[in-house]
Amino acid sequence: MKEGTAASAFEGPASHDDPLVIAGRKFHSRLLVGTGKYSSLELMAQCLEASGTEIVTVALRRIDFSQKGEKNLLDFIDPARYAILPNTAGCYTAQDAIKIARLARELELGDNMVKLEVIGDEKTLMPDVVGTVEAARVLIHEGFIVMAYTNDDVVTAKRLEEAGVAAVMPLGSPIGSGRGILNPTNIRLILEAVSVPVLVDAGVGQASDVAIAMELGADAVLLNTGIAGAKDPLKMAVAMRKACEAGRLSFLAGRIPKKLYATASSPILDF
C-alpha cells in the first residue's frame, strides 16, 4: 500500500457513501445549523458555509417582513445551496405552530418540510409534548413533512412516529444551555425504539457534544447557539463540522467494549 493511501480514503466527509435520508431526500452533511443569535447576517452566512451544512433552519417568527426594500435573513441564504427548514420556534400552542407552518407554505419555504416546535414552559423552554403530537397530526394530514422537536422521552418519540413524522428531534439539554448530552441513555433508547431518523437538537455547546451525539448513533445534530454564541463563531463552525464527521465515522467503525480491567495492547511473546 502506498504511503497515504489509507488516509486519503477518508479525507473530507465520508458522507457521499453514507447520506442522511429524510423523507426520501438525501443530504451529505449530517449537521443542521440555525440562523439566530449571530452578530451580523454576513457572519451567519460565513458560518453556514464553514459548517458544511446543507439544511438551514429559519424561525419565521423572528423575520421582519415589514421593512420594504431592506434585506432580511432570507436574503443571506442561497436556496440553490441550502435546503431551508422553516421552524415554529417561539410558538406556545399547537394552533400557533400550525399557523406558522402554513405561513411557510404560503411563502414557498421548505418545500413542505417543517421543523415543529411547541414550547410548554417559558422559563425552561421545554417542549409541550401533547401540543407537539397534536400539531404534528394536523400538519401531516395537510401534507407537511414534519420533523418534530421533543424531549428525550421514548414514549413521546414513539407517539410522534406513529403520527407519521419524518424525524424525531430529542433535545440533548435545554435550548441554548450549552450543557451537552445530559442523558445519553435516553437517546440510545429512542434510537432503538423508532425507525425514523433521530436528530439530536438543542443544548450543544462544543464540538465534543456533537461527536458524542453522533457516536451514540444519532442520524444528525441540529445546533445554533453553539456556533453563534462562540467567541470565534467561524472557527467553531469548522470544529462542529469536523466533530460531526468524526463522530459518525467512529460510530460506523464500532468502539471497543468497555472493560473493568486492563488488557495489554501488545501481548508479551515467549522468546
Side-chain angles (χ1 to χ4, degrees):
M1 183 181 294
K2 294 182 180 179
E3 184 178 354
T5 302
S8 64
F10 295 100
E11 286 181 359
S15 50
H16 288 271
D17 297 323
D18 178 39
L20 169 66
V21 181
I22 300 175
R25 305 180 188 186
K26 293 183 179 181
F27 303 95
H28 299 307
S29 172
R30 290 176 178 271
L31 188 67
L32 289 71
V33 179
T35 51
K37 303 183 180 180
Y38 288 92
S39 60
S40 71
L41 293 175
E42 290 80 6
L43 177 60
M44 177 205 71
Q46 293 170 6
C47 287
L48 294 179
E49 182 177 2
S51 73
T53 188
E54 293 175 284
I55 304 177
V56 176
T57 64
V58 174
L60 291 189
R61 294 193 64 151
R62 296 182 181 130
I63 300 177
D64 186 357
F65 292 100
S66 65
Q67 301 297 321
K68 302 298 182 180
E70 295 186 15
K71 288 186 175 182
N72 62 39
L73 184 150
L74 293 173
D75 294 309
F76 290 81
I77 304 172
D78 182 0
R81 181 169 186 173
Y82 304 108
I84 295 177
L85 178 63
N87 74 48
T88 63
C91 293
Y92 284 82
T93 67
Q95 291 71 30
D96 280 349
I98 293 167
K99 186 185 302 182
I100 292 298
R102 289 170 176 165
L103 174 60
R105 174 179 276 174
E106 290 180 13
L107 294 171
E108 299 183 344
L109 292 176
D111 194 19
N112 283 332
M113 187 175 282
V114 63
K115 178 194 169 187
L116 174 63
E117 287 186 33
V118 181
I119 301 301
D121 180 67
E122 188 172 356
K123 182 177 181 179
T124 64
L125 299 181
M126 296 295 284
D128 176 348
V129 295
V130 175
T132 299
V133 174
E134 176 187 343
R137 287 175 176 154
V138 172
L139 293 174
I140 291 164
H141 179 73
E142 294 181 4
F144 283 91
I145 299 169
V146 176
M147 301 167 61
Y149 169 69
T150 181
N151 59 13
D152 58 352
D153 174 64
V154 178
V155 175
T156 303
K158 291 171 71 174
R159 294 292 178 270
L160 287 166
E161 182 180 38
E162 290 166 0
V165 300
V168 294
M169 309 178 74
L171 52 78
S173 54
I175 294 174
S177 68
R179 298 179 66 188
I181 314 301
L182 291 184
N183 199 335
T185 299
N186 277 17
I187 301 297
R188 280 200 180 100
L189 291 174
I190 291 172
L191 286 163
E192 291 179 5
V194 301
S195 58
V196 295
V198 176
L199 288 68
V200 171
D201 181 7
V204 173
Q206 57 189 359
S208 59
D209 298 333
V210 175
I212 289 169
M214 297 306 294
E215 286 177 335
L216 288 171
D219 294 280
V221 173
L222 190 152
L223 59 87
N224 184 177
T225 309
I227 293 177
K231 291 181 180 179
D232 189 329
L234 266 175
K235 285 183 179 178
M236 187 61 80
V238 175
M240 296 298 194
R241 171 176 58 81
K242 292 184 176 181
C244 188
E245 294 168 7
R248 180 63 178 176
L249 283 173
S250 177
F251 170 73
L252 294 176
R255 65 157 292 132
I256 64 171
K258 295 181 180 181
K259 299 179 181 179
L260 181 60
Y261 297 104
T263 301
S265 57
S266 300
I268 299 173
L269 299 179
D270 184 4
F271 288 101

